[in-house]
Amino acid sequence: DVKVTQSSRYLVKRTGEKVFLECVQDMDHENMFWYRQDPGLGLRLIYFSYDVKMKEKGDIPEGYSVSREKKERFSLILESASTNQTSMYLCASSLPATSGQGGNQPQYFGDGTRLSIL
Amino acid sequence: KQEVTQIPAALSVPEGENLVLNCSFTDSAIYNLQWFRQDPGKGLTSLLLIQSSQREQTSGRLNASLDKSSGRSTLYIAASQPGDSATYLCAVILGGSARQLTFGSGTQLTVLP
């Protein structure tokens, strides 16, 4: 079974702090993703990475950065946390679309980190 | 810009009923469509993935169909059980990007014992 592990289920930080959210997958997936989920807004893509040291902006990258130094680990960084970044953060991984059965691969998600910024 | 809509937002049914959840998308040039389940406070569990060339996929009591030309997908759940209670989300990947999922807002299903 695919395992995507997020380091914290719940996290409380203060405004202005630098916050790191960590995600590790054990299936040697090339693609990794960070989403946030908010009531009424659904899931929105923040950043994704299709290879080590590669990253691309999603729909809402402002206020965030990412790091992919190793294939299995994808970190989301809140440079200076603000209250509007209070949310549920979900990490996902997948094989690239060009491999596997017809090139379509599902995304597998972690259990999420519920982050509160005070 | 691709928009994904799920109707209804919430659904409550008695145990044993067959039910259908709906998903529609505005851009038919999709690469694939994926159905997920989310339990309260948890991440997403992948249920079914339909490639753009397929019409349907089945897994146990679940059957998902895809009609690209009309921009619709349905998730059919047979003989519903209380354990099926969760939020069901559909998501599409546009052809070309092959990476970025666009999600609907979900249908919250409650199966009453």
Side-chain angles (χ1 to χ4, degrees):
Chain A
D1 278 357
V2 176
K3 185 77 173 171
V4 179
T5 303
Q6 295 184 231
S7 54
S8 304
R9 289 298 310 278
Y10 302 94
L11 205 54
V12 180
K13 297 291 183 181
R14 296 205 173 274
T15 302
E17 280 193 62
K18 190 169 186 175
V19 180
F20 293 85
L21 302 184
E22 305 287 347
C23 176
V24 177
Q25 49 93 4
D26 66 357
M27 286 303 292
D28 203 35
H29 285 172
E30 280 79 0
N31 296 335
M32 295 189 75
F33 308 82
W34 274 107
Y35 297 87
R36 63 178 283 178
Q37 185 177 29
D38 300 286
L41 296 175
L43 277 99
R44 294 176 291 167
L45 182 67
I46 305 171
Y47 266 99
F48 65 98
S49 169
Y50 51 90
D51 203 349
V52 175
K53 296 192 185 295
M54 304 302 288
K55 61 184 179 184
E56 285 194 28
K57 294 179 179 179
D59 295 324
I60 51 164
E62 296 77 19
Y64 303 93
S65 63
V66 290
S67 173
R68 184 105 181 262
E69 295 297 318
K70 293 184 178 180
K71 190 175 186 179
E72 67 270 19
R73 185 180 297 271
F74 191 35
S75 303
L76 180 69
I77 304 159
L78 285 65
E79 298 291 344
S80 178
S82 63
T83 55
N84 63 12
Q85 292 178 310
T86 291
S87 186
M88 174 73 138
Y89 289 86
L90 292 162
C91 174
S93 72
S94 73
L95 288 168
T98 53
S99 67
Q101 303 162 354
N104 288 276
Q105 297 295 330
Q107 289 190 17
Y108 296 91
F109 282 76
D111 282 339
T113 296
R114 189 165 292 282
L115 175 64
S116 297
I117 307 296
L118 305 179
Chain B
K1 183 186 173 186
Q2 177 76 274
E3 291 184 5
V4 181
T5 305
Q6 291 186 249
I7 295 173
L11 181 64
S12 184
V13 300
E15 182 177 3
E17 270 203 13
N18 303 325
L19 60 100
V20 174
L21 306 180
N22 296 296
C23 173
S24 61
F25 45 94
T26 53
D27 189 338
S28 62
I30 65 168
Y31 202 57
N32 64 42
L33 183 145
Q34 196 168 356
W35 281 94
F36 294 89
R37 168 189 173 134
Q38 186 175 30
D39 294 288
K42 297 277 195 175
L44 278 65
T45 301
S46 179
L47 298 173
L48 289 164
L49 182 147
I50 309 177
Q51 299 179 24
S52 60
S53 58
Q54 296 176 324
R55 299 281 297 184
E56 65 179 313
Q57 281 284 339
T58 298
S59 175
R61 293 183 295 109
L62 305 179
N63 176 277
S65 69
L66 174 63
D67 184 344
K68 271 185 57 177
S69 60
S70 67
R72 294 176 187 273
S73 175
T74 61
L75 179 66
Y76 174 83
I77 302 177
S80 59
Q81 303 170 357
D84 294 330
S85 298
T87 297
Y88 290 81
L89 295 145
C90 71
V92 299
I93 289 182
L94 281 177
S97 70
R99 300 186 185 102
Q100 183 168 344
L101 280 169
T102 301
F103 283 85
S105 53
T107 294
Q108 186 174 351
L109 173 67
T110 303
V111 180
L112 303 170

